[in-house]
Amino acid sequence: MKSIVFGLQWGDEGKGKVTTYLSRKYDYVVRYSGGSNAGHTVEYGDFKLVHHLVPSFDVRTDTIGYISNGVVVDLEVLNKEVEELKRLGFDVSKRIKVSNLAHVVLPVHKMLDEKFEMAKGDKAVGTTKRGIGPAYADKVHRIGLRLVDFEDKQNALEKLKFISELYKNLYSIDWTDYDKVFEEYEKIRSFVVSPIEIRKELQNSNVLFEGTQGVMLDIDMGSYPYVTGTYCNTTGVEPGLGYPMNIDKRIGVFKAYLTRVGEGPFPTELFGEDAEKLRKAGKEYGATTGRPRRCGWLDLPLLKYAIEISDCTEMIMTKADVLSCMDKILVGVRYTLCGKKIELPTNLEMLSKVEVEFIEFEGWKDLNDVNFKKFVEFLEKETGRKITYISTGANVEDIVKM
């Protein structure tokens, strides 16, 4: 069985918890894109983990995590996560593998990320400043440093010096602490494998692929330019691995309402007291940045768009319990632009100009309430997809099969 768990919105849908819960049925959990800008929070009850680079497998099981070459790896962040797991009593050093073709996020990437955001002024996209975009850009510029380069220390040192010199000349960024990079690499050296070595293992195993962010932040199909630097869609699996992989299930995760972090259009956004009420009830603050998330009602046109382009086969709803704080629940069902009604957007750059038509649902006290059941039935009918699980709380065990 090969499945993907991915976000159907602007990220923060609860993919980490869902992936962890489902991982028990799989041999591998594979991160196929993104970097340490991801923040997948998992509440185990006795402890909590925030996965930035370590794949979201249940640390109490024997599942193996693989970081593919589609991921850009911040060595320091990865080491901190592994050390935190060890401190909690989970030595996962034998259960993490990293492709030697993965690119490394360097300090200069973080410096440039911040510099670009400042230079953009009111056109800044609100990145996490974790250096993800610049690292992917260097990959395309063909000047990036890969884990495989460390097999020849002199070669790696020459590449680091070359990158440093380029950044100094092009961006006036001065950095020469190469020793720190080598120190961090040595700590994860035992994790590094060739993607060729692991290919047969993955093909002959049950694999759960873990997406980062959400479809609406995909570099190609998202709400560009307010997107991340990589492929968040299901289409990112094969380029992330570097070879073909047949997928059986595409499991899209979505919140019963909508949030986003950073800049960009948000047609169903709430403001004032209602926004703050929802933010507090849902604890809507970024796991990576701590920034308060923008909150709004569920946007059906965007959900349908994400389902269409991802070829989503089933859905999992999260945070429906949070909406029990609201007396009335709204859902945006279609857009109007220049007098024309739109149910499935084809030009996401027009999102800031649309007007939204809403329908209203009576609130619910709990998930057994008939009003909630009407809400679920409506979404399944409108999207044509079955909601197979519903998350009922923050804990990894708080999930109900439908």
Side-chain angles (χ1 to χ4, degrees), residues 108-341:
V108 290
H109 296 135
K110 298 175 187 179
M111 296 174 193
L112 183 59
D113 202 348
E114 186 166 3
K115 201 165 189 176
F116 263 132
E117 282 291 277
M118 290 179 65
K120 291 173 188 174
D122 61 3
K123 290 184 172 57
V125 299
T127 77
T128 60
K129 300 183 178 66
R130 293 289 186 107
I132 309 305
Y136 278 115
D138 280 2
K139 181 177 181 176
V140 176
H141 288 147
R142 298 177 292 279
I143 61 170
L145 182 76
R146 301 189 297 176
L147 290 173
V148 71
D149 294 321
F150 288 94
E151 293 176 8
D152 181 337
K153 186 172 182 179
Q154 185 59 37
N155 175 54
L157 180 60
E158 288 175 5
K159 286 196 172 188
L160 281 169
K161 289 180 177 178
F162 175 67
I163 294 167
S164 176
E165 194 65 25
L166 278 177
Y167 270 72
K168 186 175 182 179
N169 292 335
L170 291 173
Y171 309 116
S172 299
I173 290 174
D174 196 2
W175 171 80
T176 57
D177 191 4
Y178 314 132
D179 289 343
K180 176 67 173 173
V181 178
F182 284 106
E183 287 172 15
E184 295 294 343
Y185 168 74
E186 286 302 321
K187 296 175 187 175
I188 63 104
R189 176 194 284 270
S190 63
F191 305 163
V192 180
V193 297
S194 163
I196 301 303
E197 292 174 14
I198 203 170
R199 183 170 182 262
K200 285 187 178 179
E201 285 185 47
L202 293 182
Q203 288 182 326
N204 297 324
S205 302
N206 292 318
V207 182
L208 184 60
F209 294 95
E210 178 185 21
T212 55
Q213 287 83 39
V215 169
M216 300 310 302
L217 290 178
D218 183 85
I219 185 66
D220 282 338
M221 304 304 289
S223 51
Y224 191 88
Y226 302 99
V227 294
T228 190
T230 186
Y231 301 111
C232 309
N233 198 358
T234 54
T235 52
V237 170
E238 291 194 352
L241 284 175
Y243 44 79
M245 186 65 64
N246 293 323
I247 304 299
D248 302 294
K249 290 184 179 182
R250 294 175 176 83
I251 307 166
V253 183
F254 74 102
K255 279 178 182 168
Y257 51 98
L258 190 54
T259 62
R260 79 173 300 175
V261 172
E263 304 303 320
F266 190 165
T268 61
E269 185 169 9
L270 279 167
F271 300 94
E273 290 183 12
D274 284 342
E276 191 57 29
K277 187 176 182 180
L278 195 53
R279 186 177 297 113
K280 286 182 177 179
K283 299 178 181 177
E284 296 296 352
Y285 299 90
T288 299
T289 63
R291 290 182 292 184
R293 295 172 183 145
R294 298 159 64 189
C295 297
W297 298 118
L298 185 63
D299 188 320
L300 198 55
L302 283 189
L303 187 60
K304 288 180 176 179
Y305 170 85
I307 289 169
E308 180 75 18
I309 63 167
S310 66
D311 200 20
C312 173
T313 58
E314 61 188 77
M315 301 191 297
I316 294 178
M317 184 194 296
T318 64
K319 292 203 168 184
D321 54 304
V322 171
L323 288 180
S324 61
C325 72
M326 311 296 280
D327 295 326
K328 301 288 183 181
I329 313 297
L330 299 187
V331 176
V333 291
R334 60 187 60 85
Y335 300 151
T336 300
L337 181 63
C338 301
K340 181 181 178 182
K341 289 188 176 181

Side-chain angles (χ1 to χ4, degrees), residues 36-51:
S36 62
N37 55 339
H40 296 178
T41 304
V42 183
E43 296 269 6
Y44 281 90
D46 297 336
F47 61 94
K48 178 174 80 170
L49 296 175
V50 180
H51 296 258

Side-chain angles (χ1 to χ4, degrees), residues 15-31 40 42 44 47 49 51 53-67 78 81-82 85 90-97 208 210 396:
K15 297 180 299 298
K17 169 196 168 157
V18 169
T19 305
T20 301
Y21 179 83
L22 296 178
S23 71
R24 302 160 186 172
K25 300 178 181 178
Y26 294 84
D27 305 307
Y28 278 88
V29 171
V30 178
R31 276 280 304 273
H40 296 178
V42 183
Y44 281 90
F47 61 94
L49 296 175
H51 296 258
L53 282 168
V54 173
S56 302
F57 55 83
D58 191 323
V59 295
R60 302 165 300 186
T61 67
D62 295 327
T63 305
I64 298 170
Y66 176 53
I67 300 171
L78 179 56
E81 285 189 65
V82 172
L85 283 165
F90 302 100
D91 186 353
V92 297
S93 57
K94 303 292 185 183
R95 295 170 52 205
I96 295 178
K97 299 182 180 183
L208 184 60
E210 178 185 21
V396 70

